[in-house]
Amino acid sequence: MYRSHTCGELREEHIGREVTLAGWAGKVRDKGFVVWIDLRDRYGITQLVFDQERTPAALLDQARETGREYVLQVKGNVIERASKNPKLPTGGIEVLVEEMTVLNPAETPPFTIEDQTDGGDELRMKYRYLDIRRNPVKNKLMFRHTVTMEVRKYLSDQGFIEVETPYLIKSTPEGARDFVVPSRMNAGEFYALPQSPQTFKQLLMVGGLDKYFQIVKCFRDEDLRADRQPEFTQIDCEMAFVEQEDILRAFEGLTRHLLKAVNGVDTGEFPRMTYDEAIRRYGSDKPDIRFGMEFGELNEVARHRDFNVFNQAELVVGIAVPGAASYTRKEIDALVDWVKRPQVGAKGMVYVKCNDDGSFKSSVDKFYSQEDLARWAEATGATPGDLICVLSGDAGTTRSQLSMLRMELAGRLGLRNPKEFAPLWVTDFPLLEFDEESGRYHAMHHPFTAPKPGQLELLDSDPGAVRANAYDLVLNGNEIGGGSIRIHDKKTQAVMFRHLGFTEAEARAQFGFLMDAFQYGAPPHGGIAFGLDRLVAILGGQESIRDYIAFPKNNSGRDVMIDAPAPLDAEQLRELHLGLLES
Amino acid sequence: MYRSHTCGELREEHIGREVTLAGWAGKVRDKGFVVWIDLRDRYGITQLVFDQERTPAALLDQARETGREYVLQVKGNVIERASKNPKLPTGGIEVLVEEMTVLNPAETPPFTIEDQTDGGDELRMKYRYLDIRRNPVKNKLMFRHTVTMEVRKYLSDQGFIEVETPYLIKSTPEGARDFVVPSRMNAGEFYALPQSPQTFKQLLMVGGLDKYFQIVKCFRDEDLRADRQPEFTQIDCEMAFVEQEDILRAFEGLTRHLLKAVNGVDTGEFPRMTYDEAIRRYGSDKPDIRFGMEFGELNEVARHRDFNVFNQAELVVGIAVPGAASYTRKEIDALVDWVKRPQVGAKGMVYVKCNDDGSFKSSVDKFYSQEDLARWAEATGATPGDLICVLSGDAGTTRSQLSMLRMELAGRLGLRNPKEFAPLWVTDFPLLEFDEESGRYHAMHHPFTAPKPGQLELLDSDPGAVRANAYDLVLNGNEIGGGSIRIHDKKTQAVMFRHLGFTEAEARAQFGFLMDAFQYGAPPHGGIAFGLDRLVAILGGQESIRDYIAFPKNNSGRDVMIDAPAPLDAEQLRELHLGLLES
């Protein structure tokens, strides 16, 4: 036994006990006549003390020479601390050391192992094993474990069973790029890593397993954006003999359980909103409803004056920014610059200050009367002290730009409180979305998503208007889960494939085994998948997922700690029947 | 709601209730005036009844025309069954159907969905989603879920945290072949899929996480043998600040918990045996100790006669086969043929029948007296009625051959009772094993396994004699887990690398990031990994792992259901900077 107690365990009730501890040396404070060492392990920090009066000289010297991050084992007595530290659970005591063994010395770490470290992102990634010693990272990994255990316990208690689906599967050209795995035994052939277990979970429903879940790694070979990982974790779920309502209820149950168990929050029933409503009210299919600032459409009240920008726009839409009427000219100019950044892309912004005296001051006073502006204020819900920000242009783009502005301003105003949780179901997503590049419609969710009852006929006349039995669960402006009711009959599936531009042969080549399976009695079914990395981060009150992943990759998909990917040797390539192309 | 109850739920207390059920049509029995359909879902079977008196004619016709595996939804009344079926939980009732909807028709399945199916292995694999509807397969998948939940709950309660380690890692030339994943973004470079999270779990210990576990997929591109899968699941565990004893205790706790929770068996404390003892007594490092038949070494008592085969052998060793003295000449000849099969490889077998009257009859009566043979009986523990089977040759080969014979005969004699559980710790494995092919020593476990204290010096003089702090957990003759205490200091690691034939540069290229990590304060640590597929199969009382895997691959590493692996299209290959070599 290396230790009798952990470094987080000792309290005043242990005073007088002889204990053995093991851990890492943190701060070493040498006051000459007395030396203190913070001994740290996963569970906490215990202060070790060595002093001239009570500690043998050799041991005192040894203590002095102890370097940061040395691995120590000490034996000693728990004594009362002269000046207690109420911030530390072990702050009432210290251990007067009698014996100390250096289990392993340590080089000086490249950054300090403290809650506030001096290490930059790159360095912390390269020495991730040291970063994990820091409380902020360690606690996030432990939090992730807590969340996944709660997910598993809850779903298991509800009769779901976790089934492992294969990782070495088959590449499908649809959707994002697959990572592939060359087969040595089957020359010239490749497995693919799953982007999701979608088809397998549907096969499990055909197989009668009824209530399935899996916490599973998925892989997507996409050009990485910040906070996207080539491998990510999903809570993947599917149910048979259900309608959309059953699924929403089941997974609202899971999410409420998590919020309660992990955050101690009871949100009550989740509000619901159709996709169309979300776009209209917030310009986003994942609106953050922790705060207001809903869109006010101004077409009626802002056209028919001499301001041609608005007259020619498909949509004029604004938001009321609470308390921002006091923005200076400079601040407003900066805001206009912000919406003009390429990432947002607006051509300009009109603003109206709602003065405390009920009057208005706008950037378009030349064109609009006070009465006109009063109607804008009404449409956006602005009250005295607010700033109305107005964008215009084609409807889709303008809404999306105003949504970005809304989120940005809410952030600046502190309205996005990470300790507040505002879940929202967004339902009735479009079945198809038009892809400019390929000039055809793609399945918005995936090719097996069922259209809403009675809308199949619309596919010919107005494909973009068809709504699906598809839903997202949104939490604080992030999509944390999404799913759909699946098509389970052959005829509907054939119609869908035709509209997605698949010939029968193409459909068969890609989804043949699923189509076969559906001939042998597929039950009505549907499901949902949650992005675990994101879910855990949001529950943890953080924006970034990276520290909730033990060993993340950087934005080029590299693991800088182990230096992967890396070249293979020639023999390995030959065995895999592969050659490298010159790039 | 598609159903008010499941097909496994209704009992006599529900008689008189109107219910809605959904499921698959099993047997349809048409007696003219009455039609019965077995309606099946994950939870059970409920008998549906339609009869001339009470069922409208159209519905009765519909019932008659229902095909096997049609997906049905029915509404009806729970009534008492005339002839109850006590074998079925729902056998006291049936549902008199009032309305029936065919949710989906079904083609005739390629094999019958019954506990005893007429489908062969190939067919069942191709239509795995239908095979999963069968109770024997479905129950095994549900059993697997139960086991994994118990593993997670137990380890989590013991303070272990589950950490997900990456799947896209770096290839290492040591050991079995890696599956690799070409990187599109990093031309000419490859990730590898992990054979185990070994280095990452050690890094987590360096990171201070102390008690780690993970249920995780691992990948090994080996030529497949029966019952080996290219992807398999491990319960991977590691602890810091521990000695071997702590680890054995922790995971004996886990295994006892599983046996108790899942099988209702309390095995008591697990016996332990060193590797050397296991080899001497059973000829195997994973002895099945559910039965005796221990090895009796006969060198002392079988040499120094005129039988040159034994005189020239390094080892003469036998087992007493209980009750087999009655084997006929033909049966014994068949046994001799069995040991001569190439898979076993013995040159021959000497036998001694221990007659009931205390006399002996052997195949070597010419060379040995009754007194000699009595000493053989004593050495093997044979009693009247037993058959002593003796093999000879070089020690290692002979022991391994006799171990195969022991297992085969125990199987024939019904001594390998799948409902009996005999766990065993095998400890003190050799640190190194000599590889004939490469002419050098390899790490038996892996290059980070610690030698037993004080044995490091032996590495130069007698490397094969060095024993390691390495252990296996054996259950019923199967290795279900194995692990070791790791080297945590630089010096020992350097000595190890030298003896494994690595230059410093080679060691650095392969394990550089781990060696770096060890410089910053590596704690003493060690761990274990369990093969989950095998563990679940043994707890389930089965020999084969295949039906405990939802979608297994065949012996060529193919998934015959989805037909993977498969060729990629030219564009995909080009994007990956790859060309195919002619084979």
Side-chain angles (χ1 to χ4, degrees), chain A residues 42-43 104 133 144 159 164 167 177 189-191 206 210 231 233 488 519-520 522 557-558 566 575 579, chain B residues 42-43 104 107 133 144 159 164 167 177 189-191 206 210 231 233 488 519-520 557-558 566 575 579:
Chain A
R42 168 181 149 192
Y43 310 92
N104 222 345
R133 285 190 200 156
R144 183 181 179 116
E164 292 178 56
Y167 277 78
R177 282 191 196 82
E189 299 192 325
F190 294 75
Y191 302 97
V206 177
D210 214 75
E231 51 178 301
T233 307
H488 69 277
Q519 297 184 353
Y520 294 105
R558 292 200 78 82
E575 278 196 344
Chain B
R42 168 180 148 193
Y43 310 91
N104 224 344
E107 302 283 320
R133 285 191 200 155
R144 183 181 179 116
E164 293 177 55
Y167 278 78
R177 281 191 195 82
E189 297 191 327
F190 295 74
Y191 302 97
V206 176
D210 213 79
E231 51 179 302
T233 307
H488 68 277
Q519 297 184 355
Y520 294 104
R558 292 200 78 82
E575 279 195 344

Side-chain angles (χ1 to χ4, degrees), chain B residues 215-436:
Chain B
I215 299 186
V216 62
K217 272 282 175 80
C218 300
F219 304 85
R220 214 166 279 177
D221 185 12
E222 287 178 309
D223 299 320
L224 298 174
R225 286 184 264 149
D227 233 30
R228 274 260 184 107
Q229 292 280 322
E231 51 179 302
F232 54 96
T233 307
Q234 278 190 357
I235 310 170
D236 192 51
C237 310
E238 195 82 4
M239 300 172 80
F241 300 115
V242 288
E243 288 155 351
Q244 176 169 310
E245 186 60 30
D246 302 303
I247 295 191
L248 298 194
R249 262 209 300 264
F251 295 98
E252 183 164 325
L254 169 65
T255 313
R256 285 183 68 171
H257 171 77
L258 290 179
L259 284 163
K260 187 85 194 148
V262 171
N263 297 89
V265 170
D266 187 355
T267 57
E269 262 187 44
F270 293 1
R272 297 182 188 186
M273 198 179 283
T274 65
Y275 171 88
D276 291 335
E277 187 184 348
I279 295 292
R280 205 175 60 242
R281 288 172 59 186
Y282 299 98
S284 167
D285 59 2
K286 43 178 196 265
D288 190 339
I289 59 167
R290 280 175 296 184
F291 54 93
M293 295 170 66
E294 287 193 32
F295 285 15
E297 298 199 357
L298 305 178
N299 281 14
E300 290 295 315
V301 295
R303 290 201 199 155
H304 320 298
R305 296 292 181 274
D306 293 337
F307 190 51
N308 271 333
V309 174
F310 283 1
N311 289 342
Q312 285 157 15
E314 185 187 357
L315 179 71
V316 182
V317 60
I319 51 172
V321 186
S326 58
Y327 273 21
T328 61
R329 180 60 197 252
K330 209 169 142 193
E331 285 173 311
I332 288 179
D333 285 350
L335 210 55
V336 174
D337 287 344
W338 191 90
V339 301
K340 286 174 156 177
R341 294 166 4 134
Q343 299 93 318
V344 184
K347 294 222 181 60
M349 184 186 92
V350 164
Y351 69 85
V352 183
K353 288 185 173 185
C354 306
N355 296 325
D356 286 339
D357 64 3
S359 69
F360 301 98
K361 175 82 195 73
S362 84
S363 55
V364 285
D365 280 349
K366 195 150 52 149
F367 305 104
Y368 297 96
S369 67
Q370 290 286 311
E371 290 69 35
D372 287 337
L373 298 177
R375 295 175 69 195
W376 295 19
E378 196 185 349
T380 56
T383 53
D386 291 358
L387 179 75
I388 306 174
C389 297
V390 182
L391 300 182
S392 65
D394 88 83
T397 314
T398 305
R399 285 196 173 106
S400 143
Q401 290 163 347
L402 190 62
S403 169
M404 284 187 256
L405 180 62
R406 174 177 178 268
M407 293 296 276
E408 170 69 17
L409 286 169
R412 294 188 193 178
L413 292 167
L415 299 175
R416 303 179 65 188
N417 174 8
K419 301 262 179 256
E420 194 188 330
F421 295 95
L424 172 72
W425 284 110
V426 178
T427 63
D428 300 4
F429 271 74
L431 183 65
L432 306 172
E433 66 187 342
F434 192 74
D435 179 51
E436 300 289 345

